[in-house]
Amino acid sequence: MRPPATPATVRLHGDLAAPAELTVPQLRELPAERVAVTFDCLSQGAQHHGFEGPLLWDVLRAARPRIDFAGRKQRLGHLLAVTGADGHRAVLSWAEIDPDFGGQRILLATSIDGRPLDEAGPQLVVPADGCGARYISGVTAVWLGPLPAEVGVVSR
Ligand SMILES: Nc1nc2c(c(=O)[nH]1)N[C@H]1C(S)=C(S)[C@@H](COP(=O)(O)O)O[C@H]1N2
Ligand SMILES: [Mo]
């Protein structure tokens, strides 16, 4: 008999009061959304998939971001970095998922086309993206952090 595979986990880290390492079954404990998407891949052409899983927003809110939610401007310097098992990674801005700004229904999907992702790990789903490259599969980490203070400051 095949030994049970070690379950895939996603590490939520960075500026979080409650960092966590979650399995796909644990992600399923959050309210799930379903979405049917089409994206284009430079090498493979158009792809259509159905995904199900929690909103990245809900996953991160549960990890208690160290962000001041009283105002709005303070949130805009925060970034998310999403990494896949093969090292493929991409950044999102906090404002893309924040309902006061872009409010995109970005998912950490727990299934693709009805197939569970328990062993592979969750997949990032960015419905507004025309290109598939941010649909990162086997997500192992989501980092939240501020844009470094010195970025954009011009000294003369
Ligand atoms: N972990 C990981 N996820 C990834 C990629 C990758 O190289 N690694 N490629 C992306 C790209 S370019 C596309 S188009 C979609 C779909 O690619 P696939 O059909 O090869 O999975 O997955 C995205 N997710
Ligand atoms: Mo792609």
Side-chain angles (χ1 to χ4, degrees), residues 7-16 18-24 26-27 56 59-60 63 80-85 89 108 121-122 138-145:
T9 58
V10 52
R11 190 154 82 98
L12 310 175
H13 66 132
D15 269 4
L16 300 168
E21 183 140 0
L22 303 174
T23 62
V24 169
Q26 286 173 315
L27 289 173
L56 181 57
V59 175
L60 286 169
L80 304 171
V82 180
T83 308
R89 60 184 193 161
L108 263 188
V139 172
T140 53
V142 179
W143 172 89
L144 167 73

Short mmCIF file of all heavy atoms in Angstrom, two decimals, residues 7-16 18-24 26-27 56 59-60 63 80-85 89 108 121-122 138-145:
data_model
loop_
_atom_site.label_atom_id
_atom_site.label_comp_id
_atom_site.label_asym_id
_atom_site.label_seq_id
_atom_site.Cartn_x
_atom_site.Cartn_y
_atom_site.Cartn_z
N PRO A 7 0.47 15.97 3.63
CA PRO A 7 -0.48 16.91 3.04
C PRO A 7 0.22 18.22 2.66
O PRO A 7 1.12 18.67 3.36
CB PRO A 7 -1.51 17.13 4.15
CG PRO A 7 -0.84 16.73 5.41
CD PRO A 7 0.24 15.74 5.06
N ALA A 8 -0.20 18.75 1.52
CA ALA A 8 0.32 20.05 1.10
C ALA A 8 -0.17 21.11 2.07
O ALA A 8 -1.30 21.05 2.55
CB ALA A 8 -0.17 20.34 -0.31
N THR A 9 0.71 22.07 2.36
CA THR A 9 0.29 23.18 3.24
C THR A 9 0.67 24.50 2.59
O THR A 9 1.60 24.58 1.79
CB THR A 9 0.96 23.12 4.62
OG1 THR A 9 2.38 23.14 4.46
CG2 THR A 9 0.54 21.87 5.40
N VAL A 10 -0.07 25.52 2.98
CA VAL A 10 0.25 26.88 2.56
C VAL A 10 0.56 27.70 3.80
O VAL A 10 -0.21 27.71 4.77
CB VAL A 10 -0.85 27.50 1.67
CG1 VAL A 10 -2.21 27.41 2.31
CG2 VAL A 10 -0.55 28.95 1.34
N ARG A 11 1.71 28.37 3.77
CA ARG A 11 2.16 29.16 4.92
C ARG A 11 1.76 30.61 4.71
O ARG A 11 2.08 31.20 3.68
CB ARG A 11 3.68 29.05 5.04
CG ARG A 11 4.23 29.63 6.32
CD ARG A 11 5.53 28.96 6.68
NE ARG A 11 6.65 29.53 5.96
CZ ARG A 11 7.47 30.45 6.48
NH1 ARG A 11 7.28 30.90 7.71
NH2 ARG A 11 8.47 30.91 5.78
N LEU A 12 1.03 31.14 5.68
CA LEU A 12 0.66 32.56 5.66
C LEU A 12 1.62 33.27 6.58
O LEU A 12 1.66 32.98 7.78
CB LEU A 12 -0.78 32.74 6.17
CG LEU A 12 -1.84 31.84 5.53
CD1 LEU A 12 -3.18 32.05 6.21
CD2 LEU A 12 -1.94 32.11 4.03
N HIS A 13 2.45 34.16 6.03
CA HIS A 13 3.46 34.79 6.86
C HIS A 13 3.66 36.25 6.47
O HIS A 13 3.07 36.73 5.52
CB HIS A 13 4.77 33.97 6.80
CG HIS A 13 5.45 33.93 5.47
ND1 HIS A 13 6.78 34.17 5.31
CD2 HIS A 13 4.98 33.68 4.22
CE1 HIS A 13 7.12 34.05 4.04
NE2 HIS A 13 6.04 33.76 3.36
N GLY A 14 4.51 36.93 7.24
CA GLY A 14 4.72 38.35 7.03
C GLY A 14 4.08 39.16 8.14
O GLY A 14 4.12 38.74 9.30
N ASP A 15 3.46 40.28 7.78
CA ASP A 15 2.86 41.18 8.77
C ASP A 15 1.49 40.68 9.21
O ASP A 15 0.45 41.27 8.89
CB ASP A 15 2.70 42.58 8.15
CG ASP A 15 3.91 43.44 8.41
OD1 ASP A 15 4.89 42.93 8.98
OD2 ASP A 15 3.87 44.63 8.03
N LEU A 16 1.49 39.58 9.96
CA LEU A 16 0.25 38.95 10.40
C LEU A 16 0.32 38.70 11.90
O LEU A 16 1.33 38.19 12.39
CB LEU A 16 0.06 37.60 9.69
CG LEU A 16 -0.01 37.65 8.16
CD1 LEU A 16 0.10 36.25 7.57
CD2 LEU A 16 -1.31 38.31 7.70
N ALA A 18 -1.62 36.57 13.36
CA ALA A 18 -1.90 35.14 13.54
C ALA A 18 -1.41 34.36 12.32
O ALA A 18 -2.22 33.81 11.56
CB ALA A 18 -3.39 34.92 13.77
N PRO A 19 -0.08 34.31 12.11
CA PRO A 19 0.42 33.55 10.97
C PRO A 19 -0.01 32.10 11.10
O PRO A 19 -0.27 31.62 12.21
CB PRO A 19 1.94 33.69 11.07
CG PRO A 19 2.23 34.12 12.46
CD PRO A 19 1.00 34.82 12.96
N ALA A 20 -0.11 31.40 9.98
CA ALA A 20 -0.66 30.05 10.02
C ALA A 20 -0.08 29.21 8.91
O ALA A 20 0.50 29.73 7.94
CB ALA A 20 -2.18 30.11 9.88
N GLU A 21 -0.19 27.92 9.08
CA GLU A 21 0.16 26.97 8.02
C GLU A 21 -1.05 26.07 7.83
O GLU A 21 -1.43 25.33 8.74
CB GLU A 21 1.40 26.16 8.44
CG GLU A 21 1.86 25.22 7.37
CD GLU A 21 3.38 25.16 7.23
OE1 GLU A 21 4.09 25.86 7.98
OE2 GLU A 21 3.83 24.40 6.37
N LEU A 22 -1.70 26.19 6.68
CA LEU A 22 -3.01 25.55 6.49
C LEU A 22 -2.97 24.47 5.42
O LEU A 22 -2.31 24.63 4.38
CB LEU A 22 -4.05 26.60 6.06
CG LEU A 22 -4.25 27.79 7.00
CD1 LEU A 22 -5.20 28.80 6.36
CD2 LEU A 22 -4.78 27.33 8.34
N THR A 23 -3.71 23.40 5.67
CA THR A 23 -3.89 22.37 4.65
C THR A 23 -5.11 22.74 3.79
O THR A 23 -5.90 23.61 4.17
CB THR A 23 -4.16 20.99 5.29
OG1 THR A 23 -5.38 21.10 6.04
CG2 THR A 23 -3.02 20.57 6.20
N VAL A 24 -5.27 22.05 2.69
CA VAL A 24 -6.44 22.30 1.83
C VAL A 24 -7.74 21.98 2.58
O VAL A 24 -8.69 22.77 2.52
CB VAL A 24 -6.29 21.53 0.49
CG1 VAL A 24 -7.59 21.54 -0.30
CG2 VAL A 24 -5.16 22.16 -0.33
N GLN A 26 -8.32 22.42 5.64
CA GLN A 26 -8.55 23.57 6.53
C GLN A 26 -9.06 24.77 5.74
O GLN A 26 -9.92 25.52 6.23
CB GLN A 26 -7.27 23.92 7.29
CG GLN A 26 -6.95 22.92 8.40
CD GLN A 26 -5.59 23.17 9.05
OE1 GLN A 26 -4.60 23.40 8.37
NE2 GLN A 26 -5.55 23.12 10.36
N LEU A 27 -8.57 24.96 4.52
CA LEU A 27 -9.09 26.06 3.68
C LEU A 27 -10.57 25.84 3.37
O LEU A 27 -11.33 26.80 3.22
CB LEU A 27 -8.30 26.15 2.37
CG LEU A 27 -6.87 26.68 2.47
CD1 LEU A 27 -6.17 26.54 1.11
CD2 LEU A 27 -6.84 28.13 2.93
N LEU A 56 -9.16 34.73 -1.05
CA LEU A 56 -7.86 35.04 -0.44
C LEU A 56 -8.05 36.08 0.67
O LEU A 56 -7.39 36.03 1.71
CB LEU A 56 -6.90 35.56 -1.53
CG LEU A 56 -5.49 35.93 -1.09
CD1 LEU A 56 -4.79 34.75 -0.43
CD2 LEU A 56 -4.69 36.44 -2.28
N VAL A 59 -9.10 34.31 3.82
CA VAL A 59 -7.98 33.54 4.35
C VAL A 59 -7.03 34.48 5.10
O VAL A 59 -6.60 34.20 6.23
CB VAL A 59 -7.22 32.82 3.21
CG1 VAL A 59 -5.98 32.12 3.74
CG2 VAL A 59 -8.14 31.82 2.50
N LEU A 60 -6.75 35.63 4.50
CA LEU A 60 -5.80 36.56 5.12
C LEU A 60 -6.41 37.29 6.32
O LEU A 60 -5.72 37.52 7.32
CB LEU A 60 -5.30 37.58 4.09
CG LEU A 60 -4.30 36.98 3.11
CD1 LEU A 60 -4.04 37.96 1.97
CD2 LEU A 60 -2.97 36.65 3.80
N ALA A 63 -5.93 35.52 9.38
CA ALA A 63 -4.55 35.56 9.89
C ALA A 63 -4.21 36.93 10.47
O ALA A 63 -3.08 37.17 10.89
CB ALA A 63 -3.57 35.18 8.79
N LEU A 80 1.24 41.50 -1.49
CA LEU A 80 1.15 40.06 -1.23
C LEU A 80 2.07 39.38 -2.22
O LEU A 80 2.09 39.73 -3.39
CB LEU A 80 -0.28 39.56 -1.48
CG LEU A 80 -1.39 40.24 -0.69
CD1 LEU A 80 -2.74 39.77 -1.20
CD2 LEU A 80 -1.23 39.91 0.77
N ALA A 81 2.84 38.41 -1.73
CA ALA A 81 3.66 37.60 -2.62
C ALA A 81 3.18 36.17 -2.50
O ALA A 81 3.08 35.63 -1.39
CB ALA A 81 5.13 37.70 -2.24
N VAL A 82 2.84 35.57 -3.63
CA VAL A 82 2.30 34.20 -3.65
C VAL A 82 3.31 33.30 -4.36
O VAL A 82 3.74 33.60 -5.48
CB VAL A 82 0.94 34.18 -4.39
CG1 VAL A 82 0.35 32.77 -4.43
CG2 VAL A 82 -0.04 35.15 -3.73
N THR A 83 3.68 32.22 -3.68
CA THR A 83 4.73 31.32 -4.20
C THR A 83 4.17 29.92 -4.41
O THR A 83 3.44 29.40 -3.57
CB THR A 83 5.90 31.24 -3.20
OG1 THR A 83 6.32 32.57 -2.88
CG2 THR A 83 7.08 30.46 -3.76
N GLY A 84 4.55 29.32 -5.54
CA GLY A 84 4.16 27.94 -5.83
C GLY A 84 5.27 26.96 -5.48
O GLY A 84 6.42 27.37 -5.28
N ALA A 85 4.92 25.69 -5.46
CA ALA A 85 5.86 24.65 -5.04
C ALA A 85 7.12 24.62 -5.92
O ALA A 85 8.19 24.24 -5.47
CB ALA A 85 5.16 23.29 -5.09
N ARG A 89 6.38 32.60 -8.76
CA ARG A 89 5.74 33.50 -7.82
C ARG A 89 5.31 34.79 -8.49
O ARG A 89 5.78 35.15 -9.56
CB ARG A 89 6.62 33.78 -6.61
CG ARG A 89 7.94 34.40 -6.94
CD ARG A 89 8.78 34.53 -5.67
NE ARG A 89 9.91 35.40 -5.93
CZ ARG A 89 10.61 36.00 -4.98
NH1 ARG A 89 10.31 35.83 -3.72
NH2 ARG A 89 11.63 36.76 -5.31
N LEU A 108 -8.15 31.15 -3.26
CA LEU A 108 -7.16 30.09 -3.06
C LEU A 108 -7.95 28.81 -3.26
O LEU A 108 -8.58 28.28 -2.33
CB LEU A 108 -6.58 30.14 -1.65
CG LEU A 108 -5.25 30.85 -1.44
CD1 LEU A 108 -4.75 30.63 -0.03
CD2 LEU A 108 -4.18 30.42 -2.44
N GLY A 121 -1.90 21.01 -3.43
CA GLY A 121 -1.90 22.33 -2.79
C GLY A 121 -2.82 23.26 -3.55
O GLY A 121 -3.15 23.01 -4.72
N PRO A 122 -3.26 24.35 -2.90
CA PRO A 122 -4.26 25.22 -3.50
C PRO A 122 -3.72 25.98 -4.71
O PRO A 122 -2.51 26.12 -4.89
CB PRO A 122 -4.61 26.19 -2.36
CG PRO A 122 -3.42 26.17 -1.46
CD PRO A 122 -2.83 24.79 -1.57
N GLY A 138 -0.19 24.79 -6.74
CA GLY A 138 0.63 24.29 -5.64
C GLY A 138 1.15 25.41 -4.76
O GLY A 138 2.34 25.44 -4.43
N VAL A 139 0.25 26.31 -4.37
CA VAL A 139 0.69 27.46 -3.56
C VAL A 139 1.22 26.97 -2.21
O VAL A 139 0.54 26.23 -1.49
CB VAL A 139 -0.47 28.48 -3.36
CG1 VAL A 139 -0.06 29.57 -2.37
CG2 VAL A 139 -0.87 29.10 -4.69
N THR A 140 2.45 27.36 -1.91
CA THR A 140 3.07 26.95 -0.64
C THR A 140 3.17 28.10 0.35
O THR A 140 3.33 27.87 1.55
CB THR A 140 4.50 26.41 -0.87
OG1 THR A 140 5.23 27.39 -1.62
CG2 THR A 140 4.47 25.10 -1.63
N ALA A 141 3.11 29.34 -0.14
CA ALA A 141 3.24 30.48 0.77
C ALA A 141 2.54 31.71 0.24
O ALA A 141 2.52 31.95 -0.98
CB ALA A 141 4.72 30.80 1.01
N VAL A 142 1.96 32.45 1.17
CA VAL A 142 1.43 33.80 0.87
C VAL A 142 2.03 34.72 1.92
O VAL A 142 1.85 34.51 3.12
CB VAL A 142 -0.11 33.85 0.95
CG1 VAL A 142 -0.59 35.27 0.66
CG2 VAL A 142 -0.75 32.85 -0.02
N TRP A 143 2.77 35.69 1.43
CA TRP A 143 3.43 36.66 2.33
C TRP A 143 2.73 38.00 2.19
O TRP A 143 2.35 38.39 1.08
CB TRP A 143 4.91 36.78 1.91
CG TRP A 143 5.69 37.85 2.60
CD1 TRP A 143 6.37 37.75 3.78
CD2 TRP A 143 5.89 39.20 2.15
NE1 TRP A 143 6.98 38.94 4.08
CE2 TRP A 143 6.70 39.86 3.10
CE3 TRP A 143 5.46 39.92 1.02
CZ2 TRP A 143 7.10 41.19 2.97
CZ3 TRP A 143 5.85 41.25 0.90
CH2 TRP A 143 6.65 41.87 1.87
N LEU A 144 2.56 38.67 3.32
CA LEU A 144 1.99 40.02 3.32
C LEU A 144 3.01 40.97 3.92
O LEU A 144 3.54 40.69 5.01
CB LEU A 144 0.71 40.05 4.15
CG LEU A 144 0.17 41.44 4.50
CD1 LEU A 144 -0.45 42.12 3.30
CD2 LEU A 144 -0.85 41.36 5.61
N GLY A 145 3.29 42.03 3.24
CA GLY A 145 4.24 42.97 3.83
C GLY A 145 4.18 44.32 3.16
O GLY A 145 3.55 44.50 2.11
#
